[in-house]
Amino acid sequence: MTPAHQHRTGPMGVAVVGCGTISDQYLTNLTAFPDLRVLICADLDPERARAQAEAYGVPAWGGVAQALAHPDVELVVNLTVPAAHAEVGRAAVEAGKHVWNEKPLTADTAGARELLKAAGAAGVRVGGAPDTLLGAGLQSALRLIRSGAIGAPLTALSLMQIPGPESWHPAPEFLYRAGGGPLFDMGPYYLTALVAVLGPVRRVSAVGSRSRDRRTIGSGPRAGTGFDVTVPTHVSALLEFAGGGSATAVFSFESPQLRLGFVEVTGTEATLVLPDPNHFDGPSRIEDGGPAREVAATGTAAGRGIGVLDMARAIRSGEPHRATGELALHVLAVMEAIEAAAATGAPVEVAADAPSPQALPEDWDPYAATLVP
């Protein structure tokens, strides 16, 4: 099938597939960006798709097949559950559509490689969350590092420690099963930021543990219900980067002491404290032995969906987009390697490379209409 983007101009037609909770964040922005037109909402539950379409002024709703058959849809935003990312992504590619997958790119690297291979053969693009990397906070931090503000980056430390989401999440079981845990749930945010700073990961070592085999739902209509825990709930990893740098990363659902958004990069001249990689904004702080210097973020903090917009604009211009499927594949491969290293006690090589994403211009404006017909 001919790729949907060929010979087209003007705002890009988008289908949102998967109308769960996260679709609110995406639809709020995607329907506000003038370079995009959300044409249809799709879900396994047609009424849920209809409700989201009506709430956000989207003209059509239906099932996945209807979204993929829509003649004006060029890009599919896949917000289905992770287990369905590969299947829905492949169907979109086979229909000649570009695809943006929420994190993780797919449930495993085998599925991700197949998706990227199919997209290459079809002449369409793949992008993947998180697009927090494109927010003002991390973009400003990357500009500081690339300007030489801390010298050559050498090492990094990242911490994500919470007691666990079962205290507030009404249905947390999936976060404690294969493909979940603190590593796969929160790892994409922190690891994507580290890869953007230090380049691709070459090898990892790790340990993992869990304090108990069952937990209890703490809120909602099922409060008091117990469930099984089958994955490590505390993971400590040592990352070795191809460029010679290293990082220590901790992901935990075991700590009463909250440490969220903790990422520090130390260079030959100073340490940079980055903003929370799970957010789109926030200042950075430079520590060089003198008074700490806070640097305000500049750029867009519009939120989820800016990666979709950057992808659409790049498709129209023929330029590379930034939150690529290859970058998302690399981060997924790093998480799989950490999981394997924790299970075996032996270092694991990472068999995937990653492009270094270009910085967004400081004046990049998601609300500007740049794709004129």
Side-chain angles (χ1 to χ4, degrees):
M1 181 174 292
T2 301
H5 67 283
Q6 287 190 359
H7 313 303
R8 296 207 184 187
T9 60
M12 182 162 288
V14 170
V16 171
V17 177
C19 294
T21 301
I22 198 162
S23 68
D24 285 310
Q25 297 179 48
Y26 273 93
L27 284 165
T28 295
N29 285 327
L30 299 182
T31 56
F33 298 156
D35 282 343
L36 302 176
R37 293 184 300 145
V38 182
L39 301 174
I40 183 170
C41 290
D43 196 275
L44 289 174
D45 180 351
E47 285 306 309
R48 187 158 63 176
R50 177 177 180 171
Q52 289 299 78
E54 291 179 345
Y56 291 96
V58 176
W61 60 86
V64 176
Q66 289 169 277
L68 300 185
H70 195 299
D72 294 323
V73 166
E74 302 170 71
L75 195 160
V76 172
V77 178
N78 182 9
L79 307 181
T80 58
V81 296
H85 284 180
E87 179 183 358
V88 173
R90 281 292 299 271
V93 164
E94 290 168 2
K97 317 292 189 184
H98 308 285
V99 62
W100 169 274
N101 273 7
E102 240 305 314
K103 57 108 181 151
L105 183 63
T106 57
D108 53 48
T109 54
R113 293 180 193 281
E114 291 175 3
L115 174 61
L116 294 179
K117 182 179 179 180
V124 296
R125 299 197 194 192
V126 175
D131 55 0
T132 47
L133 178 65
L134 306 183
L138 287 179
Q139 285 292 304
S140 297
L142 288 174
R143 284 193 290 268
L144 283 170
I145 292 169
R146 291 170 180 175
S147 73
I150 64 169
L154 301 173
T155 62
L157 172 64
S158 74
L159 302 172
M160 195 297 298
Q161 297 174 280
I162 62 174
E166 74 274 13
S167 63
W168 57 267
H169 199 297
E173 292 95 329
F174 74 101
L175 293 169
Y176 290 90
R177 295 172 181 163
L183 173 62
F184 284 89
D185 181 41
M186 296 300 293
Y189 300 106
Y190 292 80
L191 294 171
T192 299
L194 293 175
V195 169
V197 172
L198 292 167
V201 177
R202 177 177 65 88
R203 184 170 60 178
V204 305
S205 302
V207 293
S209 62
R210 64 174 178 263
S211 63
R212 52 196 188 276
D213 294 331
R214 286 184 64 79
R215 293 202 178 200
T216 302
I217 299 173
S219 66
R222 299 171 59 230
T225 303
F227 60 91
D228 292 333
V229 178
T230 62
V231 296
T233 46
H234 182 97
V235 177
S236 297
L238 175 63
L239 314 176
E240 302 173 59
F241 293 82
S246 65
T248 300
V250 174
F251 306 99
S252 183
F253 284 169
E254 297 283 1
S255 175
Q257 172 65 40
L258 298 181
R259 290 188 179 92
L260 289 168
F262 188 105
V263 181
E264 294 181 350
V265 178
T266 297
T268 53
E269 306 297 330
T271 293
L272 185 68
V273 181
L274 278 65
D276 190 333
N278 191 23
H279 293 169
F280 287 85
D281 206 353
S284 298
R285 190 174 76 252
I286 297 175
E287 301 275 1
D288 58 6
R293 291 178 285 143
E294 185 168 282
V295 182
T298 58
T300 182
R304 298 189 195 282
I306 59 175
V308 177
L309 176 61
D310 173 65
M311 187 175 170
R313 287 178 173 176
I315 290 166
R316 284 283 190 264
S317 68
E319 300 293 324
H321 60 290
R322 291 168 174 83
T324 62
E326 289 77 11
L327 177 59
L329 166 62
H330 181 71
V331 170
L332 178 59
V334 172
M335 292 190 294
E336 283 192 349
I338 292 171
E339 182 180 51
T344 64
V348 175
E349 302 289 327
V350 178
D353 206 345
S356 179
Q358 294 296 313
L360 279 174
E362 288 187 64
D363 61 353
W364 191 85
D365 183 1
Y367 300 103
T370 68
L371 301 182
V372 295

